[in-house]
């Protein structure tokens, strides 16, 4: 590897023009700080790292002033900045996947002679991922009382609670003063009458002073945050106690523990590539991780909930309320559903998973983080 890279070489590698690099230099955004043996200006390793961030944000459509503030943010280190950029890119990918799924659905409708309304055609471009899948939530995503009991017990004596990534309000305790935080307008609109007041904000930038709440909670939402570690630190900042229900994708063989990902949907692994481990997340809040078993008749229809009821995954309404299916894309989804349907019909699924029938609850990677 070359010690320093010339302006021309950087332009070639990054697929940008020399003029663009000169402009970044002129405005002080990325300045080549080294010199070649011949005396030409060149980019050091640190310069290249900064340029990579700048180009990443440009791909996301950020303006140069916004980018300068992001790459110069003194509150986070280089690794945290990289995680933030990765999270934003993943969010863009998710939004794109949701749009593709919406277009596929419209193409299917048109093939049957059905035309979608102008409003529906426009919604796919303004919607976040939850805005696309959120309308299916009320039918299948409800509070599971046995999991709720674990969460509420972990809240301890907290009287004031902020629920970050609150969605439609599942798992919010009714005997405490709750403030909800939810970025999706569709999810906020589906919160029931009488639910806690809901603030439109993101986990990474909670609009509350330090120690505003006795406890902060987050349930099955961290995987949607652009920067999970930053969001968890924000929860730690605004509350003296933190309770988070999340997923462990760090233990060896984790993809094999659930038959759906093992036999039908290996693409699930790609969704969590680089995902912070429970150890990373517990360090961010200064706490511990505890396993949470999933009952066989779980009322909350999250991804693993139907581990003993495989027929449920054939139901379009069940799948639409789980972001995993949108994120893997329609081809992987259809292949998984077709394979599962065939194995249920032939008895292969029952033969492979006959031990599950005797279980009342399963350990499939859910973790409760408590600090």
């Amino acid at each position: 590897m070359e010690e320093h890279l010339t302006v021309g070489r950087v332009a070639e590698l990054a697929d940008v023009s020399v003029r663009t690099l000169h402009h970044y230099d002129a405005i002080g955004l990325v300045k080549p700080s080294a010199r070649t043996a011949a005396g030409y200006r060149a980019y050091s390793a640190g310069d290249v790292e900064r340029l990579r961030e700048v180009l990443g944000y440009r791909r996301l459509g950020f303006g140069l002033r916004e980018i300068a503030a992001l790459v110069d943010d003194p509150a986070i280190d280089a690794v945290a900045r990289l995680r933030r950029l990765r999270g934003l890119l993943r969010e863009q990918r998710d939004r794109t996947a949701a749009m593709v799924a919406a277009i596929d659905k419209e193409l299917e409708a048109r093939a049957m002679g059905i035309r979608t309304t102008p409003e529906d055609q426009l919604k796919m471009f303004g919607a976040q991922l939850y805005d696309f899948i959120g309308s299916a939530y009320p039918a299948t995503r409800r509070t599971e009382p046995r999991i709720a009991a674990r969460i509420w017990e972990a809240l301890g004596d907290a009287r004031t609670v902020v629920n970050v990534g609150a969605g439609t309000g599942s798992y919010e305790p009714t005997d405490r003063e709750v403030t909800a935080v939810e970025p999706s307008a569709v999810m906020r609109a589906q919160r029931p009458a009488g639910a806690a007041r809901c603030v439109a904000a993101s986990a990474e930038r909670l609009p509350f002073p330090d120690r505003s709440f006795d406890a902060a909670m987050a349930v099955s939402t961290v995987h949607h945050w652009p920067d999970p570690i930053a969001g968890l630190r924000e929860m730690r900042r605004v509350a003296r106690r933190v309770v988070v229900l999340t997923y462990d994708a760090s233990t060896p063989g984790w993809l094999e523990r659930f038959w759906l990902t093992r036999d039908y949907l290996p693409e699930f692994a790609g969704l969590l590539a680089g995902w912070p481990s429970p150890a990373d997340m517990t360090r961010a809040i200064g706490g511990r991780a505890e396993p949470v078993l999933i009952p066989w008749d779980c009322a909350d229809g999250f991804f693993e909930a139907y581990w003993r009821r495989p027929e449920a995954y054939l139901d379009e309404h069940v799948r639409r309320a789980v972001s995993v299916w949108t994120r893997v894309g329609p081809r992987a989804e259809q292949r998984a559903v077709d394979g599962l349907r065939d194995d249920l019909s032939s008895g292969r699924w029952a033969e492979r998973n006959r031990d599950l029938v005797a279980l009342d609850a399963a350990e499939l990677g859910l973790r409760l983080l408590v600090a």
Side-chain angles (χ1 to χ4, degrees):
M1 180 178 174
E2 301 173 48
E3 184 177 357
H4 302 305
L5 298 176
T6 64
V7 174
R9 180 61 173 154
V10 166
E12 178 186 355
L13 290 170
D15 194 25
V16 296
S17 68
V18 170
R19 182 178 180 180
T20 295
L21 297 178
H22 285 325
H23 180 61
Y24 292 168
D25 181 8
I27 64 175
L29 187 58
V30 184
K31 300 181 73 68
S33 62
R35 295 276 179 178
T36 66
Y40 294 106
R41 300 185 71 191
Y43 290 85
S44 67
D47 300 334
V48 169
E49 186 173 338
R50 182 180 176 90
L51 177 63
R52 177 184 60 182
E53 284 190 67
V54 169
L55 294 177
Y57 284 118
R58 286 297 286 162
R59 299 288 192 275
L60 288 165
F62 282 78
L64 295 181
R65 288 185 180 179
E66 293 176 296
I67 293 172
L70 289 166
V71 298
D72 289 327
D73 187 349
I76 58 175
D77 59 22
V79 172
R81 289 202 306 273
L82 198 58
R83 281 179 171 159
R84 177 172 62 187
L85 177 58
R86 179 182 180 278
L88 290 169
L89 288 165
R90 283 182 61 180
E91 184 180 14
Q92 183 187 61
R93 180 196 64 189
D94 293 343
R95 187 180 296 112
T96 301
M99 290 170 59
V100 169
I103 290 171
D104 286 343
K105 193 170 183 179
E106 180 175 346
L107 287 171
E108 292 175 5
R110 290 198 176 201
M112 295 184 289
I114 303 170
R115 293 295 297 268
T116 55
T117 67
E119 291 84 356
D120 287 338
Q121 292 174 27
L122 291 174
K123 281 178 182 177
M124 73 176 71
F125 293 98
Q128 296 181 2
L129 174 62
Y130 266 145
D131 292 345
F132 178 74
I133 66 172
S135 59
Y137 261 62
T140 63
R141 301 302 298 271
R142 300 181 292 275
T143 298
E144 164 49 53
R146 287 155 290 193
I147 295 177
R150 290 283 304 277
I151 295 169
W152 297 342
E153 179 183 12
L155 291 173
D157 61 355
R159 300 306 307 163
T160 57
V161 179
V162 59
N163 185 17
V164 182
T168 59
S170 296
Y171 298 98
E172 288 178 1
T174 57
D175 60 343
R176 310 169 197 238
E177 181 184 335
V178 177
T179 298
V181 173
E182 171 54 50
S184 168
V186 168
M187 301 299 277
R188 293 196 303 272
Q190 293 181 86
R191 291 176 63 82
R197 75 181 185 98
C198 192
V199 177
S202 64
E204 295 84 356
R205 294 187 177 180
L206 296 176
F208 310 113
D210 295 356
R211 300 288 173 161
S212 300
F213 302 93
D214 296 331
M217 61 181 283
V219 178
S220 299
T221 178
V222 177
H223 54 288
H224 290 295
W225 298 355
D227 189 338
I229 298 300
L232 291 169
R233 287 174 177 164
E234 273 288 88
M235 293 178 69
R236 175 82 279 183
R237 179 184 67 80
V238 302
R240 62 178 176 82
R241 178 181 289 268
V242 177
V243 178
V244 177
L245 184 69
T246 186
Y247 186 79
D248 180 8
S250 65
T251 54
W254 67 271
L255 195 65
E256 304 294 314
R257 66 189 167 208
F258 184 26
W259 56 262
L260 183 56
T261 55
R262 180 192 66 208
D263 299 331
Y264 305 100
L265 202 65
E267 290 85 356
F268 183 63
L271 303 183
L272 298 180
W275 175 248
S277 68
D280 294 330
M281 291 188 275
T282 52
R283 274 194 296 270
I285 60 175
R288 66 185 187 277
E290 305 171 355
V292 177
L293 300 184
I294 304 173
W296 77 270
D297 55 349
C298 184
D300 188 354
F302 52 80
F303 183 58
E304 300 84 2
Y306 304 97
W307 59 269
R308 218 182 84 176
R309 296 169 288 168
E311 295 83 2
Y313 294 106
L314 305 181
D315 188 333
E316 172 79 10
H317 292 93
V318 167
R319 298 197 306 277
R320 289 289 67 80
V322 179
S323 63
V324 168
W325 297 103
T326 298
R327 294 172 66 189
V328 298
R331 288 187 179 180
E333 177 181 0
Q334 193 60 57
R335 189 206 64 243
V337 171
D338 289 345
L340 176 58
R341 182 181 291 110
D342 290 346
D343 285 353
L344 288 171
S345 298
S346 68
R348 282 191 295 269
W349 185 92
E351 177 62 25
R352 284 190 196 131
N353 303 285
R354 58 182 179 274
D355 294 340
L356 298 183
V357 178
L359 299 179
D360 291 327
E363 203 292 273
L364 296 176
L366 282 193
R367 297 291 180 267
L368 191 65
L369 312 183
V370 183

